[in-house]
């Protein structure tokens, strides 16, 4: 008989948002990285409209953990059943269900019932803390539902490279070398204890103000797919959350290199950064220009790196 400790519990919180909004947030797992702090990346493997399989990467006790999830979505009942297999705890899946019920006008009750294995380093108190943190993050995200169109922005920048996709990917992967190649990067610290999982600290200089900024991120590298996804864990104001991706689209003569971003703004920091009277629309323009400029510098560097190598080989 297994000696694995199992933590079983049920938690309910009141959320000041319509039940349909909260259910929609739970159902749309690929958006979690920009809405929920612990999630780095969510990949939908398959989905038939009711059942889906997901690959999740999230931060837990300072580690990047991965898990496979199978979920059954029941929108009429506003209920989602799940089984979650953590890579760190093989053979001991978490199972449970999320349910959402209306509780008056514009309010609902969010309930999480689960049975969860405890790792060797975890106590019941630590597991309870994790659950309460997740519920609090969900509630905070849901209660901003009527402001999300203003708080969220997404955009892409791209360049076309007449060169090898492998060379482009190589320089995007070797972020520690950007100090000598990308103008706004002053220092880069990279730790890669797990293959393809990079923890980075970038010290950069804002091109318009000269302000020194520090950002920390997790990067997941998928060389076979030509993708690198990244989630900032420490963000400079007025950014509350930043999730992005580099991806390559090769063709017969070269490759299109794309830098995509999804950003959540921190409304309380807008006037602090941009001055009294500044609005969210000003913050959206500021962040778009700032991140776009940084992306364009990195994309230009990647193109130069790949095309220079091609010229040297000829």
């Amino acid at each position: 008989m297994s000696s694995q400790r199992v933590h079983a519990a049920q938690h309910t919180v009141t959320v000041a948002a319509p039940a349909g909004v909260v259910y929609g947030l739970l159902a749309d797992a690929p958006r979690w990285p920009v809405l929920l702090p612990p999630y780095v990346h969510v990949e939908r493997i398959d989905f038939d409209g009711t059942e889906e399989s997901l690959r999740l990467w999230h931060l837990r006790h300072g580690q990047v953990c991965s898990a496979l999830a199978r979920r059954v979505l029941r929108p009429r009942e506003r209920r989602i059943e799940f089984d979650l297999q953590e890579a760190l705890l093989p053979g001991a899946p978490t199972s449970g269900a999320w349910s959402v019920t209306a509780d008056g006008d514009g309010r609902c009750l969010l309930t999480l019932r689960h049975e969860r294995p405890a790792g060797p380093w975890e106590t019941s108190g630590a597991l309870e803390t994790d659950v309460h943190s997740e519920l609090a993050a969900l509630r905070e995200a849901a209660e901003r539902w009527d402001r999300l169109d203003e708080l969220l922005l997404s955009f892409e920048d791209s360049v076309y490279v007449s060169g090898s996709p492998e060379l482009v990917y190589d320089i995007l992967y070797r972020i520690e070398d950007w100090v000598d190649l990308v103008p706004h990067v002053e220092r880069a610290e990279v730790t890669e204890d797990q293959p393809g999982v990079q923890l980075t600290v970038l010290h950069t200089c804002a091109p318009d103000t000269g302000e020194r900024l520090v950002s920390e991120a997790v990067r997941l590298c998928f060389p076979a797919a030509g993708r690198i996804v990244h989630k900032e864990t420490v963000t400079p104001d007025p950014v509350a959350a930043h999730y992005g991706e580099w991806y390559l689209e090769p063709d017969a003569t070269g490759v299109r290199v794309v830098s995509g971003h999804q950003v959540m703004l921190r409304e309380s920091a807008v006037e602090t950064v941009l001055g009294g009277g500044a609005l969210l629309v000003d913050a959206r323009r500021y962040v778009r220009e700032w991140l776009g400029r940084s992306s364009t510098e990195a994309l230009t560097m990647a193109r130069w790196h790949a095309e220079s190598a091609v010229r040297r080989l000829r």
Side-chain angles (χ1 to χ4, degrees), residues 4-9 11 58 60-61 86 89 94 112 114-135:
Q4 176 72 53
R5 294 180 297 121
V6 175
H7 177 76
H11 301 269
H58 59 283
R60 188 176 179 190
H61 306 296
E86 291 271 3
L89 298 169
T94 296
L112 170 61
H114 67 103
E115 293 184 355
R116 176 175 171 181
W121 63 89
E122 294 175 311
T123 64
S124 294
L127 291 170
E128 287 287 303
T129 299
D130 287 350
V131 171
H132 285 295
S133 296
E134 186 166 7
L135 287 168

PDB file of all heavy atoms in Angstrom, residues 4-9 11 58 60-61 86 89 94 112 114-135:
ATOM      1  N   GLN A   4       1.953   7.458   0.388  1.00  0.00           N
ATOM      2  CA  GLN A   4       1.762   8.838  -0.052  1.00  0.00           C
ATOM      3  C   GLN A   4       0.690   9.532   0.774  1.00  0.00           C
ATOM      4  O   GLN A   4      -0.422   9.040   0.916  1.00  0.00           O
ATOM      5  CB  GLN A   4       1.339   8.854  -1.526  1.00  0.00           C
ATOM      6  CG  GLN A   4       1.012  10.235  -2.064  1.00  0.00           C
ATOM      7  CD  GLN A   4       2.262  11.069  -2.226  1.00  0.00           C
ATOM      8  OE1 GLN A   4       3.206  10.641  -2.864  1.00  0.00           O
ATOM      9  NE2 GLN A   4       2.273  12.243  -1.640  1.00  0.00           N
ATOM     10  N   ARG A   5       1.039  10.663   1.377  1.00  0.00           N
ATOM     11  CA  ARG A   5       0.059  11.447   2.126  1.00  0.00           C
ATOM     12  C   ARG A   5      -0.843  12.189   1.144  1.00  0.00           C
ATOM     13  O   ARG A   5      -0.372  12.755   0.166  1.00  0.00           O
ATOM     14  CB  ARG A   5       0.760  12.448   3.038  1.00  0.00           C
ATOM     15  CG  ARG A   5       1.561  11.819   4.157  1.00  0.00           C
ATOM     16  CD  ARG A   5       2.224  12.868   5.028  1.00  0.00           C
ATOM     17  NE  ARG A   5       3.188  13.663   4.281  1.00  0.00           N
ATOM     18  CZ  ARG A   5       3.132  14.981   4.137  1.00  0.00           C
ATOM     19  NH1 ARG A   5       2.116  15.658   4.646  1.00  0.00           N
ATOM     20  NH2 ARG A   5       4.050  15.629   3.463  1.00  0.00           N
ATOM     21  N   VAL A   6      -2.134  12.205   1.412  1.00  0.00           N
ATOM     22  CA  VAL A   6      -3.102  12.879   0.556  1.00  0.00           C
ATOM     23  C   VAL A   6      -3.827  13.934   1.371  1.00  0.00           C
ATOM     24  O   VAL A   6      -4.290  13.677   2.490  1.00  0.00           O
ATOM     25  CB  VAL A   6      -4.116  11.878  -0.044  1.00  0.00           C
ATOM     26  CG1 VAL A   6      -5.183  12.622  -0.831  1.00  0.00           C
ATOM     27  CG2 VAL A   6      -3.396  10.878  -0.935  1.00  0.00           C
ATOM     28  N   HIS A   7      -3.902  15.131   0.806  1.00  0.00           N
ATOM     29  CA  HIS A   7      -4.578  16.247   1.450  1.00  0.00           C
ATOM     30  C   HIS A   7      -5.916  16.447   0.740  1.00  0.00           C
ATOM     31  O   HIS A   7      -5.955  16.744  -0.453  1.00  0.00           O
ATOM     32  CB  HIS A   7      -3.718  17.508   1.326  1.00  0.00           C
ATOM     33  CG  HIS A   7      -4.343  18.742   1.884  1.00  0.00           C
ATOM     34  ND1 HIS A   7      -4.419  18.990   3.232  1.00  0.00           N
ATOM     35  CD2 HIS A   7      -4.923  19.806   1.271  1.00  0.00           C
ATOM     36  CE1 HIS A   7      -5.013  20.152   3.430  1.00  0.00           C
ATOM     37  NE2 HIS A   7      -5.327  20.671   2.257  1.00  0.00           N
ATOM     38  N   ALA A   8      -7.010  16.241   1.453  1.00  0.00           N
ATOM     39  CA  ALA A   8      -8.358  16.404   0.881  1.00  0.00           C
ATOM     40  C   ALA A   8      -9.038  17.581   1.556  1.00  0.00           C
ATOM     41  O   ALA A   8      -9.000  17.716   2.786  1.00  0.00           O
ATOM     42  CB  ALA A   8      -9.177  15.132   1.074  1.00  0.00           C
ATOM     43  N   ALA A   9      -9.651  18.439   0.758  1.00  0.00           N
ATOM     44  CA  ALA A   9     -10.284  19.626   1.330  1.00  0.00           C
ATOM     45  C   ALA A   9     -11.292  20.208   0.355  1.00  0.00           C
ATOM     46  O   ALA A   9     -11.308  19.882  -0.839  1.00  0.00           O
ATOM     47  CB  ALA A   9      -9.228  20.678   1.680  1.00  0.00           C
ATOM     48  N   HIS A  11     -12.939  24.229  -0.366  1.00  0.00           N
ATOM     49  CA  HIS A  11     -12.848  25.653  -0.027  1.00  0.00           C
ATOM     50  C   HIS A  11     -13.854  26.423  -0.874  1.00  0.00           C
ATOM     51  O   HIS A  11     -13.999  26.149  -2.075  1.00  0.00           O
ATOM     52  CB  HIS A  11     -11.444  26.185  -0.309  1.00  0.00           C
ATOM     53  CG  HIS A  11     -10.355  25.482   0.443  1.00  0.00           C
ATOM     54  ND1 HIS A  11      -9.902  25.895   1.675  1.00  0.00           N
ATOM     55  CD2 HIS A  11      -9.641  24.369   0.127  1.00  0.00           C
ATOM     56  CE1 HIS A  11      -8.945  25.081   2.082  1.00  0.00           C
ATOM     57  NE2 HIS A  11      -8.763  24.149   1.163  1.00  0.00           N
ATOM     58  N   HIS A  58       4.050  25.735 -13.954  1.00  0.00           N
ATOM     59  CA  HIS A  58       3.731  26.715 -12.927  1.00  0.00           C
ATOM     60  C   HIS A  58       4.851  26.766 -11.896  1.00  0.00           C
ATOM     61  O   HIS A  58       5.684  25.855 -11.802  1.00  0.00           O
ATOM     62  CB  HIS A  58       2.403  26.381 -12.248  1.00  0.00           C
ATOM     63  CG  HIS A  58       2.371  25.040 -11.596  1.00  0.00           C
ATOM     64  ND1 HIS A  58       2.228  23.868 -12.313  1.00  0.00           N
ATOM     65  CD2 HIS A  58       2.495  24.653 -10.300  1.00  0.00           C
ATOM     66  CE1 HIS A  58       2.245  22.839 -11.494  1.00  0.00           C
ATOM     67  NE2 HIS A  58       2.419  23.277 -10.268  1.00  0.00           N
ATOM     68  N   ARG A  60       6.085  26.664  -8.095  1.00  0.00           N
ATOM     69  CA  ARG A  60       5.666  26.093  -6.825  1.00  0.00           C
ATOM     70  C   ARG A  60       6.891  25.978  -5.930  1.00  0.00           C
ATOM     71  O   ARG A  60       7.857  25.299  -6.284  1.00  0.00           O
ATOM     72  CB  ARG A  60       5.030  24.724  -7.060  1.00  0.00           C
ATOM     73  CG  ARG A  60       4.378  24.114  -5.826  1.00  0.00           C
ATOM     74  CD  ARG A  60       3.706  22.816  -6.233  1.00  0.00           C
ATOM     75  NE  ARG A  60       3.082  22.156  -5.118  1.00  0.00           N
ATOM     76  CZ  ARG A  60       2.590  20.923  -5.174  1.00  0.00           C
ATOM     77  NH1 ARG A  60       2.656  20.247  -6.320  1.00  0.00           N
ATOM     78  NH2 ARG A  60       2.046  20.374  -4.117  1.00  0.00           N
ATOM     79  N   HIS A  61       6.861  26.684  -4.806  1.00  0.00           N
ATOM     80  CA  HIS A  61       7.985  26.691  -3.870  1.00  0.00           C
ATOM     81  C   HIS A  61       9.285  27.100  -4.572  1.00  0.00           C
ATOM     82  O   HIS A  61      10.354  26.547  -4.321  1.00  0.00           O
ATOM     83  CB  HIS A  61       8.155  25.314  -3.210  1.00  0.00           C
ATOM     84  CG  HIS A  61       6.919  24.791  -2.558  1.00  0.00           C
ATOM     85  ND1 HIS A  61       6.328  25.417  -1.483  1.00  0.00           N
ATOM     86  CD2 HIS A  61       6.142  23.727  -2.843  1.00  0.00           C
ATOM     87  CE1 HIS A  61       5.246  24.749  -1.111  1.00  0.00           C
ATOM     88  NE2 HIS A  61       5.103  23.725  -1.943  1.00  0.00           N
ATOM     89  N   GLU A  86       1.232  15.621 -11.506  1.00  0.00           N
ATOM     90  CA  GLU A  86       2.450  16.406 -11.337  1.00  0.00           C
ATOM     91  C   GLU A  86       3.665  15.566 -11.722  1.00  0.00           C
ATOM     92  O   GLU A  86       3.787  14.406 -11.313  1.00  0.00           O
ATOM     93  CB  GLU A  86       2.600  16.850  -9.878  1.00  0.00           C
ATOM     94  CG  GLU A  86       1.567  17.879  -9.426  1.00  0.00           C
ATOM     95  CD  GLU A  86       2.023  19.293  -9.690  1.00  0.00           C
ATOM     96  OE1 GLU A  86       3.115  19.460 -10.278  1.00  0.00           O
ATOM     97  OE2 GLU A  86       1.294  20.218  -9.323  1.00  0.00           O
ATOM     98  N   LEU A  89       5.538  14.230  -8.732  1.00  0.00           N
ATOM     99  CA  LEU A  89       4.863  13.232  -7.904  1.00  0.00           C
ATOM    100  C   LEU A  89       4.247  12.163  -8.793  1.00  0.00           C
ATOM    101  O   LEU A  89       3.029  12.044  -8.894  1.00  0.00           O
ATOM    102  CB  LEU A  89       3.783  13.901  -7.034  1.00  0.00           C
ATOM    103  CG  LEU A  89       4.287  14.942  -6.022  1.00  0.00           C
ATOM    104  CD1 LEU A  89       3.112  15.700  -5.429  1.00  0.00           C
ATOM    105  CD2 LEU A  89       5.099  14.267  -4.931  1.00  0.00           C
ATOM    106  N   THR A  94      -3.562  14.571  -8.540  1.00  0.00           N
ATOM    107  CA  THR A  94      -4.540  15.411  -7.859  1.00  0.00           C
ATOM    108  C   THR A  94      -5.852  15.301  -8.625  1.00  0.00           C
ATOM    109  O   THR A  94      -5.860  15.329  -9.853  1.00  0.00           O
ATOM    110  CB  THR A  94      -4.070  16.876  -7.847  1.00  0.00           C
ATOM    111  OG1 THR A  94      -2.872  16.976  -7.084  1.00  0.00           O
ATOM    112  CG2 THR A  94      -5.123  17.783  -7.245  1.00  0.00           C
ATOM    113  N   LEU A 112     -13.728  25.024  -4.649  1.00  0.00           N
ATOM    114  CA  LEU A 112     -12.716  24.070  -5.100  1.00  0.00           C
ATOM    115  C   LEU A 112     -12.735  22.875  -4.150  1.00  0.00           C
ATOM    116  O   LEU A 112     -12.521  23.019  -2.946  1.00  0.00           O
ATOM    117  CB  LEU A 112     -11.327  24.699  -5.104  1.00  0.00           C
ATOM    118  CG  LEU A 112     -10.148  23.736  -5.323  1.00  0.00           C
ATOM    119  CD1 LEU A 112     -10.239  23.047  -6.676  1.00  0.00           C
ATOM    120  CD2 LEU A 112      -8.812  24.474  -5.167  1.00  0.00           C
ATOM    121  N   HIS A 114     -10.881  19.168  -3.744  1.00  0.00           N
ATOM    122  CA  HIS A 114      -9.741  18.458  -4.322  1.00  0.00           C
ATOM    123  C   HIS A 114      -9.146  17.463  -3.340  1.00  0.00           C
ATOM    124  O   HIS A 114      -9.279  17.593  -2.123  1.00  0.00           O
ATOM    125  CB  HIS A 114      -8.659  19.452  -4.746  1.00  0.00           C
ATOM    126  CG  HIS A 114      -8.018  20.157  -3.591  1.00  0.00           C
ATOM    127  ND1 HIS A 114      -6.778  19.822  -3.124  1.00  0.00           N
ATOM    128  CD2 HIS A 114      -8.453  21.163  -2.798  1.00  0.00           C
ATOM    129  CE1 HIS A 114      -6.466  20.595  -2.098  1.00  0.00           C
ATOM    130  NE2 HIS A 114      -7.468  21.416  -1.882  1.00  0.00           N
ATOM    131  N   GLU A 115      -8.500  16.467  -3.907  1.00  0.00           N
ATOM    132  CA  GLU A 115      -7.639  15.540  -3.171  1.00  0.00           C
ATOM    133  C   GLU A 115      -6.259  15.652  -3.804  1.00  0.00           C
ATOM    134  O   GLU A 115      -6.099  15.391  -4.996  1.00  0.00           O
ATOM    135  CB  GLU A 115      -8.157  14.110  -3.273  1.00  0.00           C
ATOM    136  CG  GLU A 115      -9.479  13.889  -2.559  1.00  0.00           C
ATOM    137  CD  GLU A 115      -9.903  12.425  -2.598  1.00  0.00           C
ATOM    138  OE1 GLU A 115      -9.206  11.627  -3.258  1.00  0.00           O
ATOM    139  OE2 GLU A 115     -10.934  12.094  -1.982  1.00  0.00           O
ATOM    140  N   ARG A 116      -5.308  16.031  -2.996  1.00  0.00           N
ATOM    141  CA  ARG A 116      -4.001  16.406  -3.541  1.00  0.00           C
ATOM    142  C   ARG A 116      -2.895  15.710  -2.773  1.00  0.00           C
ATOM    143  O   ARG A 116      -2.874  15.733  -1.535  1.00  0.00           O
ATOM    144  CB  ARG A 116      -3.841  17.921  -3.444  1.00  0.00           C
ATOM    145  CG  ARG A 116      -2.510  18.471  -3.885  1.00  0.00           C
ATOM    146  CD  ARG A 116      -2.577  19.984  -3.828  1.00  0.00           C
ATOM    147  NE  ARG A 116      -1.270  20.599  -4.024  1.00  0.00           N
ATOM    148  CZ  ARG A 116      -1.059  21.905  -3.993  1.00  0.00           C
ATOM    149  NH1 ARG A 116      -2.079  22.719  -3.783  1.00  0.00           N
ATOM    150  NH2 ARG A 116       0.139  22.394  -4.176  1.00  0.00           N
ATOM    151  N   PRO A 117      -1.949  15.070  -3.477  1.00  0.00           N
ATOM    152  CA  PRO A 117      -0.825  14.442  -2.780  1.00  0.00           C
ATOM    153  C   PRO A 117       0.115  15.496  -2.229  1.00  0.00           C
ATOM    154  O   PRO A 117       0.297  16.564  -2.819  1.00  0.00           O
ATOM    155  CB  PRO A 117      -0.152  13.617  -3.873  1.00  0.00           C
ATOM    156  CG  PRO A 117      -0.479  14.341  -5.135  1.00  0.00           C
ATOM    157  CD  PRO A 117      -1.856  14.917  -4.935  1.00  0.00           C
ATOM    158  N   ALA A 118       0.711  15.192  -1.096  1.00  0.00           N
ATOM    159  CA  ALA A 118       1.686  16.098  -0.496  1.00  0.00           C
ATOM    160  C   ALA A 118       3.088  15.616  -0.831  1.00  0.00           C
ATOM    161  O   ALA A 118       3.409  14.439  -0.662  1.00  0.00           O
ATOM    162  CB  ALA A 118       1.503  16.150   1.015  1.00  0.00           C
ATOM    163  N   GLY A 119       3.899  16.528  -1.315  1.00  0.00           N
ATOM    164  CA  GLY A 119       5.285  16.178  -1.575  1.00  0.00           C
ATOM    165  C   GLY A 119       6.041  15.996  -0.266  1.00  0.00           C
ATOM    166  O   GLY A 119       5.579  16.395   0.803  1.00  0.00           O
ATOM    167  N   PRO A 120       7.222  15.405  -0.323  1.00  0.00           N
ATOM    168  CA  PRO A 120       7.974  15.128   0.897  1.00  0.00           C
ATOM    169  C   PRO A 120       8.379  16.375   1.658  1.00  0.00           C
ATOM    170  O   PRO A 120       8.667  16.311   2.847  1.00  0.00           O
ATOM    171  CB  PRO A 120       9.208  14.359   0.381  1.00  0.00           C
ATOM    172  CG  PRO A 120       9.312  14.709  -1.065  1.00  0.00           C
ATOM    173  CD  PRO A 120       7.906  14.918  -1.529  1.00  0.00           C
ATOM    174  N   TRP A 121       8.397  17.538   0.970  1.00  0.00           N
ATOM    175  CA  TRP A 121       8.809  18.781   1.610  1.00  0.00           C
ATOM    176  C   TRP A 121       7.615  19.601   2.102  1.00  0.00           C
ATOM    177  O   TRP A 121       7.788  20.683   2.643  1.00  0.00           O
ATOM    178  CB  TRP A 121       9.619  19.624   0.621  1.00  0.00           C
ATOM    179  CG  TRP A 121       8.791  20.025  -0.578  1.00  0.00           C
ATOM    180  CD1 TRP A 121       8.018  21.141  -0.698  1.00  0.00           C
ATOM    181  CD2 TRP A 121       8.634  19.294  -1.793  1.00  0.00           C
ATOM    182  NE1 TRP A 121       7.388  21.156  -1.913  1.00  0.00           N
ATOM    183  CE2 TRP A 121       7.750  20.032  -2.609  1.00  0.00           C
ATOM    184  CE3 TRP A 121       9.141  18.094  -2.262  1.00  0.00           C
ATOM    185  CZ2 TRP A 121       7.371  19.596  -3.874  1.00  0.00           C
ATOM    186  CZ3 TRP A 121       8.763  17.679  -3.519  1.00  0.00           C
ATOM    187  CH2 TRP A 121       7.910  18.414  -4.303  1.00  0.00           C
ATOM    188  N   GLU A 122       6.385  19.116   1.888  1.00  0.00           N
ATOM    189  CA  GLU A 122       5.199  19.911   2.145  1.00  0.00           C
ATOM    190  C   GLU A 122       4.457  19.445   3.397  1.00  0.00           C
ATOM    191  O   GLU A 122       4.430  18.267   3.732  1.00  0.00           O
ATOM    192  CB  GLU A 122       4.246  19.846   0.950  1.00  0.00           C
ATOM    193  CG  GLU A 122       4.808  20.496  -0.294  1.00  0.00           C
ATOM    194  CD  GLU A 122       3.890  20.314  -1.491  1.00  0.00           C
ATOM    195  OE1 GLU A 122       3.461  19.178  -1.743  1.00  0.00           O
ATOM    196  OE2 GLU A 122       3.599  21.309  -2.161  1.00  0.00           O
ATOM    197  N   THR A 123       3.815  20.419   4.061  1.00  0.00           N
ATOM    198  CA  THR A 123       2.931  20.145   5.182  1.00  0.00           C
ATOM    199  C   THR A 123       1.509  20.492   4.781  1.00  0.00           C
ATOM    200  O   THR A 123       1.276  21.166   3.767  1.00  0.00           O
ATOM    201  CB  THR A 123       3.317  20.990   6.402  1.00  0.00           C
ATOM    202  OG1 THR A 123       3.119  22.392   6.075  1.00  0.00           O
ATOM    203  CG2 THR A 123       4.789  20.774   6.788  1.00  0.00           C
ATOM    204  N   SER A 124       0.540  20.050   5.577  1.00  0.00           N
ATOM    205  CA  SER A 124      -0.853  20.405   5.288  1.00  0.00           C
ATOM    206  C   SER A 124      -1.034  21.918   5.297  1.00  0.00           C
ATOM    207  O   SER A 124      -1.785  22.474   4.501  1.00  0.00           O
ATOM    208  CB  SER A 124      -1.774  19.750   6.325  1.00  0.00           C
ATOM    209  OG  SER A 124      -1.748  18.344   6.185  1.00  0.00           O
ATOM    210  N   GLY A 125      -0.326  22.601   6.201  1.00  0.00           N
ATOM    211  CA  GLY A 125      -0.425  24.057   6.245  1.00  0.00           C
ATOM    212  C   GLY A 125       0.068  24.707   4.972  1.00  0.00           C
ATOM    213  O   GLY A 125      -0.530  25.662   4.474  1.00  0.00           O
ATOM    214  N   ALA A 126       1.189  24.186   4.419  1.00  0.00           N
ATOM    215  CA  ALA A 126       1.720  24.741   3.169  1.00  0.00           C
ATOM    216  C   ALA A 126       0.760  24.505   2.018  1.00  0.00           C
ATOM    217  O   ALA A 126       0.553  25.386   1.165  1.00  0.00           O
ATOM    218  CB  ALA A 126       3.082  24.118   2.862  1.00  0.00           C
ATOM    219  N   LEU A 127       0.130  23.319   1.973  1.00  0.00           N
ATOM    220  CA  LEU A 127      -0.839  23.032   0.923  1.00  0.00           C
ATOM    221  C   LEU A 127      -2.052  23.946   1.035  1.00  0.00           C
ATOM    222  O   LEU A 127      -2.580  24.432   0.032  1.00  0.00           O
ATOM    223  CB  LEU A 127      -1.256  21.567   0.989  1.00  0.00           C
ATOM    224  CG  LEU A 127      -0.180  20.552   0.598  1.00  0.00           C
ATOM    225  CD1 LEU A 127      -0.635  19.138   0.936  1.00  0.00           C
ATOM    226  CD2 LEU A 127       0.167  20.656  -0.877  1.00  0.00           C
ATOM    227  N   GLU A 128      -2.500  24.191   2.261  1.00  0.00           N
ATOM    228  CA  GLU A 128      -3.621  25.110   2.467  1.00  0.00           C
ATOM    229  C   GLU A 128      -3.263  26.511   1.983  1.00  0.00           C
ATOM    230  O   GLU A 128      -4.076  27.201   1.359  1.00  0.00           O
ATOM    231  CB  GLU A 128      -4.002  25.151   3.947  1.00  0.00           C
ATOM    232  CG  GLU A 128      -4.720  23.914   4.440  1.00  0.00           C
ATOM    233  CD  GLU A 128      -6.149  23.856   3.921  1.00  0.00           C
ATOM    234  OE1 GLU A 128      -6.916  24.803   4.161  1.00  0.00           O
ATOM    235  OE2 GLU A 128      -6.488  22.866   3.258  1.00  0.00           O
ATOM    236  N   THR A 129      -2.037  26.934   2.270  1.00  0.00           N
ATOM    237  CA  THR A 129      -1.593  28.252   1.819  1.00  0.00           C
ATOM    238  C   THR A 129      -1.613  28.344   0.305  1.00  0.00           C
ATOM    239  O   THR A 129      -2.042  29.352  -0.277  1.00  0.00           O
ATOM    240  CB  THR A 129      -0.183  28.542   2.348  1.00  0.00           C
ATOM    241  OG1 THR A 129      -0.208  28.546   3.783  1.00  0.00           O
ATOM    242  CG2 THR A 129       0.326  29.890   1.864  1.00  0.00           C
ATOM    243  N   ASP A 130      -1.134  27.282  -0.377  1.00  0.00           N
ATOM    244  CA  ASP A 130      -1.150  27.257  -1.846  1.00  0.00           C
ATOM    245  C   ASP A 130      -2.570  27.409  -2.386  1.00  0.00           C
ATOM    246  O   ASP A 130      -2.820  28.174  -3.326  1.00  0.00           O
ATOM    247  CB  ASP A 130      -0.561  25.940  -2.356  1.00  0.00           C
ATOM    248  CG  ASP A 130       0.942  25.862  -2.190  1.00  0.00           C
ATOM    249  OD1 ASP A 130       1.551  26.898  -1.866  1.00  0.00           O
ATOM    250  OD2 ASP A 130       1.495  24.767  -2.387  1.00  0.00           O
ATOM    251  N   VAL A 131      -3.517  26.670  -1.786  1.00  0.00           N
ATOM    252  CA  VAL A 131      -4.908  26.712  -2.254  1.00  0.00           C
ATOM    253  C   VAL A 131      -5.500  28.090  -2.043  1.00  0.00           C
ATOM    254  O   VAL A 131      -6.152  28.656  -2.933  1.00  0.00           O
ATOM    255  CB  VAL A 131      -5.740  25.634  -1.544  1.00  0.00           C
ATOM    256  CG1 VAL A 131      -7.223  25.817  -1.855  1.00  0.00           C
ATOM    257  CG2 VAL A 131      -5.288  24.242  -1.971  1.00  0.00           C
ATOM    258  N   HIS A 132      -5.282  28.666  -0.878  1.00  0.00           N
ATOM    259  CA  HIS A 132      -5.834  29.997  -0.603  1.00  0.00           C
ATOM    260  C   HIS A 132      -5.234  31.045  -1.543  1.00  0.00           C
ATOM    261  O   HIS A 132      -5.941  31.972  -1.981  1.00  0.00           O
ATOM    262  CB  HIS A 132      -5.600  30.375   0.858  1.00  0.00           C
ATOM    263  CG  HIS A 132      -6.499  29.666   1.822  1.00  0.00           C
ATOM    264  ND1 HIS A 132      -7.870  29.848   1.847  1.00  0.00           N
ATOM    265  CD2 HIS A 132      -6.225  28.757   2.796  1.00  0.00           C
ATOM    266  CE1 HIS A 132      -8.406  29.095   2.797  1.00  0.00           C
ATOM    267  NE2 HIS A 132      -7.423  28.419   3.383  1.00  0.00           N
ATOM    268  N   SER A 133      -3.943  30.908  -1.860  1.00  0.00           N
ATOM    269  CA  SER A 133      -3.310  31.849  -2.788  1.00  0.00           C
ATOM    270  C   SER A 133      -3.925  31.743  -4.176  1.00  0.00           C
ATOM    271  O   SER A 133      -4.165  32.756  -4.851  1.00  0.00           O
ATOM    272  CB  SER A 133      -1.801  31.586  -2.858  1.00  0.00           C
ATOM    273  OG  SER A 133      -1.190  31.829  -1.623  1.00  0.00           O
ATOM    274  N   GLU A 134      -4.187  30.502  -4.622  1.00  0.00           N
ATOM    275  CA  GLU A 134      -4.782  30.311  -5.942  1.00  0.00           C
ATOM    276  C   GLU A 134      -6.202  30.873  -5.993  1.00  0.00           C
ATOM    277  O   GLU A 134      -6.586  31.537  -6.955  1.00  0.00           O
ATOM    278  CB  GLU A 134      -4.789  28.831  -6.310  1.00  0.00           C
ATOM    279  CG  GLU A 134      -5.268  28.567  -7.732  1.00  0.00           C
ATOM    280  CD  GLU A 134      -4.963  27.168  -8.216  1.00  0.00           C
ATOM    281  OE1 GLU A 134      -4.492  26.347  -7.409  1.00  0.00           O
ATOM    282  OE2 GLU A 134      -5.195  26.904  -9.396  1.00  0.00           O
ATOM    283  N   LEU A 135      -6.974  30.630  -4.946  1.00  0.00           N
ATOM    284  CA  LEU A 135      -8.336  31.165  -4.897  1.00  0.00           C
ATOM    285  C   LEU A 135      -8.314  32.692  -4.873  1.00  0.00           C
ATOM    286  O   LEU A 135      -9.132  33.343  -5.532  1.00  0.00           O
ATOM    287  CB  LEU A 135      -9.073  30.628  -3.678  1.00  0.00           C
ATOM    288  CG  LEU A 135      -9.505  29.159  -3.746  1.00  0.00           C
ATOM    289  CD1 LEU A 135      -9.947  28.672  -2.373  1.00  0.00           C
ATOM    290  CD2 LEU A 135     -10.634  28.972  -4.753  1.00  0.00           C
TER     291      LEU A 135
END
